[in-house]
């Protein structure tokens, strides 16, 4: 069985594809992930930092090499 991995979404992206990729990984609605990032950003101030780090480090799903 193939291991499940996180990738930036190229199908469901608004800015960088991070929220869409996380939604695909956890099989949830992308809106929930976007709201969670906004809550983290305005509540704790960490949402933007986490988003940028994931955007830089995660590969896009069209860059897969099988």
């Amino acid at each position: 069985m193939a291991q499940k991995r996180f990738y930036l979404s190229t199908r469901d992206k608004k800015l960088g594809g991070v929220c869409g990729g996380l939604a695909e990984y956890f099989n949830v609605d992308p809106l929930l992930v976007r709201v969670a990032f906004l809550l983290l950003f305005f509540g704790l101030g960490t949402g933007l930092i986490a988003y940028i780090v994931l955007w830089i480090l995660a590969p896009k799903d069209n860059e897969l090499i099988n």
Side-chain angles (χ1 to χ4, degrees):
M1 180 174 4
Q3 183 178 3
K4 191 173 172 181
R5 296 195 56 193
F6 167 68
Y7 297 100
L8 298 176
S9 177
T10 55
R11 293 177 296 280
D12 183 21
K13 72 180 210 176
K14 300 295 182 198
L15 184 61
V18 173
C19 293
L22 285 172
E24 290 174 13
Y25 182 81
F26 290 112
N27 198 25
V28 296
D29 189 330
L31 180 62
L32 296 175
V33 179
R34 290 180 179 108
V35 168
F37 269 103
L38 284 174
L39 290 174
L40 284 173
F41 175 69
F42 289 113
L44 302 174
T46 59
L48 183 63
I49 295 168
Y51 191 93
I52 292 171
V53 168
L54 286 172
W55 193 1
I56 292 170
L57 297 179
K60 293 181 183 173
D61 63 357
N62 64 354
E63 296 176 350
L64 299 176
I65 301 172
N66 292 331

